[in-house]
Amino acid sequence: MTTDRFDLAILGGGPAGYVAAIRAAQLGLKVACIDENQRFGGTCLRVGCIPSKALLESSHLYQEAQQHFGDHGIETGDVRLNLARMMQRKDKIVDTLTGGIDMLFKKNNVQGIRGRGKLIDGQTIEVTGDEPQTVRADKILLAMGSRPAPLPNIEQDGQWIGDSTTALSYEEVPERLVVIGGGYIGLELGSVWNRLGSEVIVLEAMDRILMGVDGELAALAHRTFKRQGLKIHTGTFVQSARRDGDRCVVAIKDGDEIRCDRVLLSTGRVPATDKIGLSAAGIQTDRRGFLEVNADYQTNVPSVYAIGDCIGGAMLAHKAMEEGVACVERIAGIHGHVNYDVIPAIVYTHPEIAMVGRTEEQLKEAGVAYRKGICPYGANGRARTLGEAEGRVKILADEKTDRVLGVHIIGARAGDLIAEAAAAMEFGASSEDIARTCHAHPTLAEVVHEAALSVDKRAIHTV
């Protein structure tokens, strides 16, 4: 077994880990990045964000060709689904991007190590795999990410009853799919299979879907998804799910059993911090398994740092990436920065939902006085030409200072539009700043502009 010495060893090659590795190498550190998978990129790139967005785009185009191309004067005839080809496209995108990380590591002199890493102490990682080795480093950065949360009595088999990874690779379209959980992952993947022909039933234990999303937008989304064919049941507690012959059976508290072809469990994620030797290194976690860190991302062991999903907060790839950069910059003596009040989030359904800052519910609970500006997509010329007149932008601004406190969008390309709002909030902009910024015409960005004007009750194109 070989032993190598580094300035920094990173355990985990997902968005947090590989970005931190590249930035640390740019700062002159000798860096190793260890991951147990054959491809770097973590859950997001391999079995999460990227493959799911590929399927969302393909399934959306399939549905558009079936239902809406005729509105544009495009006659397609019989539109048929080639699911295998759709999956091949998804896999090719993943292969291309994961291969790109290897190239970036090579360019930046990052040592990529494939194998399962386990802490021996605060400066040593034992790696098992095809080429066992011991990695010693002055500092260790933990970036193991998270995994789907299990539920009691849900008998997952990785095929008929599974999680989001399973739902990315069905070999055929299920006739009936039950989704347990009404969060963004369940609704995104439920939308994919609904578009491809499944009867999709979403079971959510809470009294609404999309917890954490602004309540008004969540209600609009609920109505839209129902019109699209998703059967959504809130206030519904799932007691168990099991395989019964050639079908799956989902038992509901105070309700009838549901028989279906597949079950997708989508009830959040938990930190992947077990089985990596935390106790051997003396590293503490909270009761849920999240690593506890200080402002510099140090754990209670000074030589060990942690970032990303495994320290909690918003479990988002871009948040993890920002933490990776900030952490290694602080290690190198530079003031790294993450503004946790301005982390955008996006739900890639159709229409998309995007948000940054605080919701109306949060502002009311905190007793913050605010003003609100709204612009519907239907008032926007570009939205009409795209055939995307459904949706709205809502801007929340402080009543006294006019500083933007939150922006919430439901509509076409909301995920792209939210970037302007995040940039504005990062620089402490007021709604007046956005309103006085010239926006090109005709663009969807004008919906944001009009919402900013609406805060001061001087919108031009809305009644």
Side-chain angles (χ1 to χ4, degrees), residues 379-447:
N380 179 268
R382 181 63 172 152
R384 290 286 180 181
T385 64
L386 291 170
E388 298 284 2
E390 183 177 18
R392 67 176 57 185
V393 173
K394 176 164 68 174
I395 295 179
L396 307 173
D398 187 279
E399 188 175 74
K400 294 181 179 178
T401 66
D402 194 39
R403 185 169 183 164
V404 177
L405 303 175
V407 178
H408 306 274
I409 307 173
I410 181 170
R413 303 176 191 173
D416 297 318
L417 295 179
I418 204 65
E420 174 186 359
M425 291 178 64
E426 181 64 37
F427 286 93
S430 64
S431 71
E432 178 75 6
D433 292 326
I434 298 175
R436 291 202 174 273
T437 300
C438 183
H439 289 64
H441 174 78
T443 62
L444 290 177
E446 290 177 285
V447 187

XYZ file of all heavy atoms in Angstrom, residues 379-447:
500
model
N -48.659 39.648 -19.565
C -48.501 41.047 -19.993
C -47.234 41.256 -20.807
O -46.955 42.374 -21.252
C -48.473 41.956 -18.760
N -46.463 40.188 -21.018
C -45.156 40.296 -21.662
C -45.211 39.788 -23.098
O -45.651 38.670 -23.361
C -44.138 39.495 -20.843
C -42.749 39.511 -21.433
O -42.402 38.630 -22.199
N -41.965 40.507 -21.064
N -44.757 40.615 -24.031
C -44.820 40.252 -25.441
C -43.990 39.033 -25.793
O -44.410 38.171 -26.567
N -42.800 38.913 -25.226
C -41.947 37.764 -25.509
C -42.592 36.473 -25.000
O -42.526 35.438 -25.666
C -40.577 37.975 -24.861
C -39.584 36.841 -25.105
C -39.259 36.678 -26.572
N -38.178 35.719 -26.761
C -38.030 34.984 -27.848
N -38.903 35.085 -28.843
N -37.027 34.145 -27.971
N -43.208 36.534 -23.830
C -43.884 35.354 -23.292
C -45.002 34.908 -24.239
O -45.191 33.708 -24.476
C -44.446 35.656 -21.906
N -45.713 35.867 -24.811
C -46.797 35.526 -25.739
C -46.243 34.870 -27.006
O -46.809 33.900 -27.504
C -47.581 36.794 -26.105
C -48.414 37.378 -24.967
C -49.632 36.546 -24.710
N -50.451 37.097 -23.624
C -51.575 36.535 -23.193
N -52.004 35.407 -23.757
N -52.255 37.066 -22.197
N -45.137 35.392 -27.507
C -44.582 34.799 -28.733
C -44.044 33.396 -28.488
O -44.026 32.562 -29.389
C -43.454 35.671 -29.319
O -42.356 35.723 -28.401
C -43.949 37.077 -29.617
N -43.619 33.131 -27.255
C -43.134 31.799 -26.904
C -44.269 30.827 -26.603
O -44.034 29.625 -26.458
C -42.214 31.877 -25.671
C -40.861 32.565 -25.849
C -40.199 32.768 -24.493
C -39.960 31.730 -26.754
N -45.474 31.369 -26.476
C -46.587 30.535 -26.052
C -46.487 30.178 -24.581
O -46.933 29.116 -24.141
N -45.899 31.076 -23.807
C -45.651 30.837 -22.381
C -46.239 31.969 -21.545
O -45.541 32.639 -20.790
C -44.141 30.724 -22.118
C -43.459 29.580 -22.823
C -43.743 28.231 -22.168
O -44.502 28.203 -21.186
O -43.209 27.217 -22.652
N -47.530 32.176 -21.677
C -48.167 33.307 -21.001
C -48.552 33.012 -19.554
O -49.058 33.886 -18.852
C -49.420 33.739 -21.780
N -48.287 31.800 -19.088
C -48.650 31.433 -17.720
C -47.497 31.712 -16.773
O -46.361 31.320 -17.033
C -49.014 29.943 -17.656
C -49.474 29.480 -16.292
C -49.892 28.028 -16.283
O -49.522 27.287 -17.217
O -50.571 27.617 -15.327
N -47.782 32.404 -15.680
C -46.759 32.646 -14.675
C -46.762 34.076 -14.182
O -47.539 34.917 -14.653
N -45.887 34.346 -13.232
C -45.759 35.702 -12.689
C -44.427 35.876 -11.975
O -43.793 34.903 -11.577
C -46.902 36.008 -11.716
C -46.890 35.188 -10.433
C -47.998 35.609 -9.482
N -49.314 35.520 -10.090
C -50.428 35.923 -9.508
N -50.390 36.448 -8.295
N -51.593 35.804 -10.104
N -44.043 37.146 -11.808
C -42.883 37.519 -11.005
C -43.383 38.335 -9.826
O -44.223 39.223 -9.984
C -41.864 38.358 -11.815
C -40.751 38.870 -10.903
C -41.279 37.536 -12.948
N -42.863 38.016 -8.654
C -43.229 38.765 -7.446
C -41.959 39.267 -6.780
O -41.035 38.491 -6.514
C -44.017 37.884 -6.481
C -44.335 38.580 -5.161
C -45.436 37.876 -4.377
C -45.036 36.527 -3.863
N -46.077 35.945 -2.980
N -41.901 40.571 -6.531
C -40.759 41.186 -5.851
C -41.231 41.734 -4.509
O -42.239 42.457 -4.439
C -40.135 42.305 -6.698
C -39.525 41.720 -7.976
C -39.064 43.061 -5.902
C -38.900 42.749 -8.898
N -40.494 41.391 -3.460
C -40.789 41.873 -2.104
C -39.681 42.828 -1.688
O -38.497 42.477 -1.734
C -40.863 40.693 -1.139
C -41.813 39.549 -1.528
C -41.651 38.374 -0.583
C -43.254 40.045 -1.543
N -40.062 44.035 -1.290
C -39.076 45.054 -0.934
C -39.408 45.656 0.425
O -40.585 45.779 0.797
C -39.034 46.151 -1.996
N -38.379 46.031 1.161
C -38.559 46.625 2.479
C -39.382 47.909 2.370
O -39.111 48.755 1.514
C -37.190 46.920 3.099
C -37.289 47.374 4.539
O -37.570 48.568 4.763
O -37.075 46.530 5.437
N -40.363 48.041 3.237
C -41.279 49.181 3.157
C -40.568 50.517 3.362
O -40.918 51.525 2.743
C -42.403 49.029 4.188
C -43.502 50.074 4.054
C -44.640 49.814 5.019
O -44.448 50.076 6.223
O -45.704 49.334 4.579
N -39.552 50.527 4.209
C -38.865 51.775 4.520
C -37.698 52.052 3.573
O -37.551 53.170 3.076
C -38.364 51.755 5.968
C -39.479 51.730 7.005
C -38.899 51.727 8.415
C -40.008 51.723 9.472
N -39.446 51.683 10.854
N -36.872 51.057 3.327
C -35.645 51.282 2.562
C -35.769 50.918 1.090
O -34.909 51.300 0.285
C -34.480 50.468 3.146
O -34.754 49.066 2.956
C -34.313 50.744 4.635
N -36.792 50.154 0.721
C -37.014 49.667 -0.649
C -36.008 48.597 -1.051
O -35.987 48.151 -2.192
C -36.992 50.824 -1.656
C -37.551 50.405 -3.023
O -38.536 49.639 -3.049
O -36.981 50.801 -4.045
N -35.161 48.162 -0.131
C -34.191 47.114 -0.451
C -34.938 45.817 -0.785
O -35.902 45.444 -0.111
C -33.259 46.883 0.725
C -32.141 45.891 0.441
C -31.098 45.914 1.537
N -29.986 45.017 1.243
C -28.811 45.066 1.867
N -28.607 45.982 2.806
N -27.852 44.224 1.552
N -34.504 45.119 -1.844
C -35.166 43.889 -2.261
C -34.886 42.792 -1.239
O -33.734 42.491 -0.918
C -34.688 43.452 -3.661
C -35.343 42.129 -4.056
C -35.001 44.529 -4.696
N -35.953 42.190 -0.741
C -35.849 41.154 0.287
C -36.090 39.754 -0.266
O -35.661 38.763 0.317
C -36.845 41.433 1.418
C -36.730 42.795 2.100
C -37.857 42.963 3.105
C -35.382 42.932 2.789
N -36.801 39.685 -1.384
C -37.091 38.384 -1.970
C -37.672 38.546 -3.362
O -38.391 39.522 -3.634
N -37.348 37.609 -4.243
C -37.924 37.586 -5.593
C -38.372 36.159 -5.867
O -37.612 35.207 -5.648
C -36.911 38.044 -6.653
C -37.527 37.968 -8.056
C -36.423 39.457 -6.360
N -39.592 36.021 -6.352
C -40.190 34.698 -6.576
C -40.831 34.677 -7.957
O -41.616 35.556 -8.298
C -41.217 34.409 -5.480
C -40.644 34.553 -4.102
N -39.999 33.535 -3.461
C -40.582 35.631 -3.273
C -39.569 33.958 -2.285
N -39.904 35.238 -2.154
N -40.470 33.660 -8.737
C -40.905 33.592 -10.131
C -41.473 32.219 -10.427
O -40.878 31.207 -10.069
C -39.727 33.863 -11.101
C -39.014 35.173 -10.748
C -40.211 33.888 -12.543
C -37.743 35.413 -11.560
N -42.620 32.191 -11.086
C -43.128 30.961 -11.681
C -43.424 31.279 -13.134
O -44.173 32.220 -13.429
C -44.375 30.408 -10.938
C -44.849 29.110 -11.602
C -45.481 31.442 -10.831
C -45.911 28.365 -10.815
N -42.804 30.538 -14.031
C -42.988 30.821 -15.443
C -41.818 30.318 -16.262
O -40.829 29.797 -15.729
N -41.923 30.490 -17.557
C -40.876 30.025 -18.472
C -39.523 30.659 -18.132
O -39.431 31.856 -17.886
C -41.261 30.370 -19.908
N -38.491 29.827 -18.110
C -37.104 30.251 -17.903
C -36.898 31.028 -16.614
O -36.006 31.880 -16.498
C -36.616 31.041 -19.113
C -36.744 30.219 -20.407
C -36.379 30.973 -21.647
N -36.769 30.199 -22.846
C -36.699 30.645 -24.069
N -36.247 31.854 -24.314
N -37.080 29.878 -25.097
N -37.720 30.707 -15.618
C -37.575 31.359 -14.316
C -36.186 31.150 -13.744
O -35.621 32.039 -13.086
C -38.635 30.830 -13.351
N -35.605 29.978 -14.002
C -34.284 29.682 -13.480
C -33.199 30.592 -14.031
O -32.187 30.839 -13.360
N -33.385 31.090 -15.242
C -32.437 32.049 -15.804
C -32.721 33.464 -15.307
O -31.800 34.239 -15.022
C -32.498 32.016 -17.334
C -32.088 30.664 -17.902
O -31.106 30.090 -17.408
O -32.765 30.179 -18.824
N -33.991 33.802 -15.194
C -34.357 35.149 -14.769
C -33.941 35.444 -13.327
O -33.669 36.594 -12.977
C -35.869 35.346 -14.906
C -36.447 35.298 -16.324
C -37.960 35.480 -16.276
C -35.819 36.359 -17.211
N -33.898 34.399 -12.482
C -33.610 34.647 -11.067
C -32.187 35.142 -10.859
O -31.871 35.748 -9.824
C -33.871 33.365 -10.240
C -34.166 33.723 -8.769
C -32.721 32.379 -10.346
C -35.430 34.496 -8.557
N -31.300 34.931 -11.842
C -29.908 35.372 -11.693
C -29.820 36.886 -11.547
O -28.998 37.400 -10.775
C -29.073 34.901 -12.886
N -30.652 37.615 -12.293
C -30.648 39.078 -12.164
C -31.039 39.486 -10.753
O -30.428 40.372 -10.146
C -31.611 39.716 -13.164
C -31.743 41.221 -12.974
C -32.797 41.870 -13.865
O -33.430 41.158 -14.656
O -32.981 43.098 -13.751
N -32.053 38.821 -10.218
C -32.518 39.148 -8.872
C -31.446 38.843 -7.834
O -31.218 39.630 -6.908
C -33.796 38.365 -8.561
N -30.764 37.698 -7.993
C -29.709 37.342 -7.045
C -28.563 38.343 -7.090
O -28.033 38.748 -6.044
C -29.190 35.932 -7.341
N -28.178 38.762 -8.298
C -27.105 39.751 -8.423
C -27.517 41.075 -7.798
O -26.727 41.721 -7.093
C -26.743 39.946 -9.896
N -28.756 41.473 -8.042
C -29.248 42.738 -7.468
C -29.217 42.677 -5.945
O -28.756 43.617 -5.275
C -30.668 43.017 -7.969
N -29.685 41.570 -5.379
C -29.727 41.452 -3.927
C -28.326 41.357 -3.331
O -28.072 41.865 -2.229
C -30.563 40.242 -3.530
C -32.044 40.417 -3.828
S -33.031 38.959 -3.409
C -32.818 38.901 -1.630
N -27.410 40.704 -4.032
C -26.031 40.598 -3.536
C -25.412 41.982 -3.356
O -24.608 42.207 -2.430
C -25.183 39.766 -4.501
C -23.745 39.573 -4.082
C -23.599 38.774 -2.799
O -24.389 37.825 -2.587
O -22.702 39.103 -1.997
N -25.784 42.926 -4.218
C -25.248 44.280 -4.128
C -26.180 45.235 -3.383
O -26.014 46.447 -3.456
C -24.940 44.810 -5.534
C -23.722 44.189 -6.148
C -23.824 43.084 -6.964
C -22.462 44.691 -5.872
C -22.700 42.497 -7.514
C -21.329 44.114 -6.424
C -21.441 43.003 -7.256
N -27.178 44.672 -2.690
C -28.051 45.494 -1.859
C -28.970 46.407 -2.634
O -29.306 47.497 -2.168
N -29.399 45.983 -3.812
C -30.216 46.841 -4.670
C -31.613 47.041 -4.103
O -32.148 46.209 -3.358
C -30.308 46.238 -6.071
N -32.209 48.153 -4.498
C -33.611 48.436 -4.188
C -34.458 48.049 -5.400
O -33.945 47.815 -6.500
C -33.791 49.929 -3.899
O -33.482 50.693 -5.067
N -35.755 47.980 -5.197
C -36.631 47.729 -6.343
C -36.520 48.874 -7.346
O -36.655 48.674 -8.559
C -38.077 47.540 -5.896
O -38.645 48.753 -5.449
N -36.235 50.077 -6.845
C -36.047 51.229 -7.718
C -34.836 51.039 -8.626
O -34.862 51.429 -9.805
C -35.868 52.496 -6.878
C -35.603 53.768 -7.668
C -36.837 54.317 -8.366
O -37.945 53.773 -8.145
O -36.704 55.287 -9.134
N -33.771 50.415 -8.101
C -32.581 50.145 -8.915
C -32.932 49.244 -10.097
O -32.487 49.479 -11.233
C -31.495 49.481 -8.077
C -30.906 50.407 -7.030
O -30.803 51.621 -7.313
O -30.557 49.925 -5.948
N -33.714 48.205 -9.837
C -34.115 47.304 -10.924
C -35.042 48.031 -11.892
O -34.928 47.896 -13.117
C -34.807 46.047 -10.351
C -33.837 45.258 -9.459
C -35.325 45.155 -11.482
C -34.474 44.080 -8.755
N -35.952 48.830 -11.342
C -36.916 49.543 -12.178
C -36.234 50.548 -13.100
O -36.704 50.794 -14.218
C -37.943 50.256 -11.298
N -35.141 51.140 -12.646
C -34.450 52.161 -13.449
C -33.363 51.571 -14.338
O -32.645 52.314 -15.019
C -33.872 53.244 -12.542
C -34.946 54.104 -11.894
C -34.451 55.444 -11.435
N -35.556 56.273 -10.961
C -36.293 57.057 -11.734
N -36.032 57.109 -13.037
N -37.276 57.777 -11.226
N -33.234 50.246 -14.344
C -32.290 49.585 -15.238
C -33.009 49.235 -16.543
O -34.052 48.582 -16.523
C -31.739 48.300 -14.597
O -31.064 48.642 -13.375
C -30.777 47.584 -15.534
N -32.468 49.666 -17.657
C -33.103 49.420 -18.949
C -33.021 47.938 -19.301
O -31.933 47.354 -19.311
C -32.422 50.248 -20.036
S -33.179 50.075 -21.666
N -34.156 47.331 -19.566
C -34.234 45.925 -19.952
C -34.598 45.836 -21.435
O -35.508 46.533 -21.902
C -35.280 45.189 -19.110
C -34.889 44.987 -17.685
N -34.693 46.024 -16.807
C -34.654 43.840 -16.978
C -34.354 45.535 -15.615
N -34.338 44.219 -15.694
N -33.900 44.982 -22.160
C -34.124 44.870 -23.604
C -35.537 44.396 -23.917
O -36.135 43.615 -23.162
C -33.107 43.904 -24.211
N -36.050 44.874 -25.050
C -37.397 44.511 -25.505
C -37.304 43.859 -26.893
O -36.549 44.322 -27.739
C -38.275 45.764 -25.594
C -39.625 45.506 -26.181
N -40.647 44.933 -25.444
C -40.130 45.734 -27.421
C -41.718 44.825 -26.214
N -41.423 45.309 -27.419
N -38.016 42.787 -27.148
C -38.879 42.054 -26.219
C -38.130 40.890 -25.579
O -37.570 40.048 -26.277
C -39.988 41.544 -27.136
C -39.308 41.328 -28.463
C -38.208 42.350 -28.547
N -38.099 40.850 -24.266
C -37.462 39.754 -23.538
C -38.317 39.386 -22.330
O -39.117 40.203 -21.841
C -36.059 40.136 -23.026
O -36.187 41.242 -22.103
C -35.125 40.511 -24.156
N -38.114 38.172 -21.830
C -38.793 37.769 -20.602
C -38.292 38.570 -19.409
O -39.014 38.728 -18.416
C -38.574 36.277 -20.348
C -39.269 35.300 -21.299
C -38.890 33.874 -20.948
C -40.787 35.477 -21.244
N -37.070 39.099 -19.501
C -36.520 39.880 -18.389
C -37.374 41.104 -18.076
O -37.338 41.631 -16.959
C -35.089 40.306 -18.706
N -38.158 41.547 -19.041
C -39.036 42.695 -18.803
C -40.103 42.393 -17.754
O -40.656 43.317 -17.154
C -39.700 43.121 -20.107
C -38.749 43.754 -21.105
C -39.464 44.089 -22.413
O -39.744 43.148 -23.185
O -39.750 45.289 -22.631
N -40.396 41.106 -17.521
C -41.357 40.767 -16.476
C -40.784 41.143 -15.112
O -41.499 41.636 -14.240
C -41.717 39.266 -16.518
C -42.833 38.956 -15.539
C -42.123 38.837 -17.911
